[in-house]
Amino acid sequence: MTVPDLFHHQYVFPRHRLRPTLRDESKIPLVLISCGSFSPITYLHLRMFEMAKDQIEEEGKYELIGGYFSPVNDKYAKKGLAPAVHRVQMCEIAVDNTSDWIMVDSWEAMNPTYQRTATVLDHFNECLNGAEGGGVLLADGQVKPIHIMLLAGGDLIESFGIPNCWALKDLHHILGHYGCVIVERTGSDVYNFLLSHDILNRYKKNVRVVKQLIHNDISSTKIRLFIKRGMAIKYLLPNQVIDYISQHQLYLD
């Protein structure tokens, strides 16, 4: 599919890597959703899913059956944000070449207006549980609903405490209804922030913190700066994404 054609195709929710059954039917099926700019996607974005997977499997309550990147809408108007058509393509290229369980959903990016994170999670809930054939079919014919959690880095969670950055009703909905998996990032004191933030502390049972055992501070901001300065970005993101950036001359300005 060529880049100009991407958003002219009818939207179809991706399920091609979603596991349809549970290995252990006593567990709760879980899908992780990562919302963000991904401009560009890096190895840290991909690595966050794997770190979360390790911790979830160790806990034993949930069984992870899939994960999704949801690139933010262009109306987010963040500095350094490449057009959504490119960000979706780069995410697709990254997961196609590195993962057998992570997918990319373009619904948020394709919308004509900016979509709040709470609304995006509701969209996933409807696609995974509300439609015919939703949930996970068990051996006895019953259907088990899929639980959805937001996967985020410590820097995003700290934005919860910025006045007027998030609607309070959205924070209650995200943390109370879905829950959150937070991956520590260099320079972020997640545990202290959880203690000091009233809403996060209220829903602390729905918040899981994943420690980075190997610290990684790759950021899209640094990648964009490296590209602008003509510096090497190899080994910071998949080679196929680097080739895409070069081909479309992204982040040169």
Side-chain angles (χ1 to χ4, degrees):
M1 186 184 297
T2 61
V3 172
D5 291 337
L6 179 63
F7 290 167
H8 291 90
H9 283 65
Q10 184 177 1
Y11 170 76
V12 177
F13 181 70
R15 292 176 173 270
H16 54 291
R17 296 192 181 108
L18 188 68
R19 190 148 44 82
T21 59
L22 292 172
R23 298 187 181 100
D24 183 345
E25 293 192 348
S26 68
K27 295 184 179 180
I28 301 170
L30 175 67
V31 166
L32 295 176
I33 313 296
S34 182
C35 299
S37 301
F38 311 118
S39 188
I41 188 170
T42 72
Y43 274 130
L44 179 54
H45 294 131
L46 295 160
R47 176 70 183 149
M48 282 171 58
F49 276 92
E50 295 296 332
M51 287 187 284
K53 182 180 179 182
D54 283 345
Q55 180 151 323
I56 288 163
E57 289 182 346
E58 184 177 346
E59 286 181 7
K61 180 179 180 180
Y62 296 95
E63 185 170 315
L64 195 55
I65 63 169
Y68 290 89
F69 283 110
S70 182
V72 74
N73 188 279
D74 281 339
K75 296 295 174 64
Y76 186 56
K78 182 180 179 180
K79 184 179 179 182
L81 196 68
V85 63
H86 290 304
R87 292 182 287 107
V88 169
Q89 285 286 82
M90 286 188 285
C91 287
E92 290 276 14
I93 291 168
V95 298
D96 285 350
N97 286 277
T98 62
S99 181
D100 60 0
W101 65 280
I102 307 172
M103 293 158 281
V104 181
D105 182 46
S106 62
W107 180 84
E108 180 182 359
M110 291 172 64
N111 255 274
T113 58
Y114 171 69
Q115 301 296 309
R116 305 188 321 275
T117 300
T119 304
V120 174
L121 295 179
D122 286 344
H123 153 74
F124 277 100
N125 189 43
E126 176 62 27
C127 290
L128 292 167
N129 291 310
E132 184 178 349
V136 172
L137 184 64
L138 304 181
D140 63 3
Q142 295 187 64
V143 174
K144 207 167 198 177
I146 297 170
H147 190 68
I148 293 164
M149 283 189 185
L150 178 66
L151 173 64
D155 52 347
L156 185 144
I157 295 304
E158 286 182 352
S159 71
F160 283 2
I162 300 174
N164 303 317
C165 185
W166 293 78
L168 291 180
K169 65 175 184 178
D170 283 1
L171 292 183
H172 284 289
H173 187 57
I174 292 169
L175 297 168
H177 186 67
Y178 295 111
C180 193
V181 179
I182 306 172
V183 178
E184 279 190 325
R185 297 192 70 167
T186 304
S188 297
D189 188 348
V190 176
Y191 288 100
N192 182 62
F193 189 73
L194 288 176
L195 183 65
S196 62
H197 192 282
D198 291 341
I199 296 179
L200 280 169
N201 189 61
R202 174 178 173 178
Y203 296 111
K204 59 186 177 183
K205 290 184 179 179
N206 295 341
V207 177
R208 285 159 175 76
V209 178
V210 179
K211 293 189 70 67
Q212 280 207 67
L213 299 180
I214 299 176
H215 287 280
N216 182 341
D217 66 347
I218 297 173
S219 73
S220 297
T221 301
K222 290 179 182 178
I223 299 274
R224 294 195 299 271
L225 183 60
F226 280 20
I227 294 170
K228 184 177 181 179
R229 301 299 185 213
M231 300 168 66
I233 56 173
K234 192 174 179 65
Y235 306 123
L236 299 177
L237 57 164
N239 287 339
Q240 296 86 351
V241 177
I242 295 175
D243 293 342
Y244 183 94
I245 291 171
S246 177
Q247 178 187 350
H248 295 279
Q249 299 186 310
L250 301 177
Y251 309 119
L252 295 177
D253 298 328

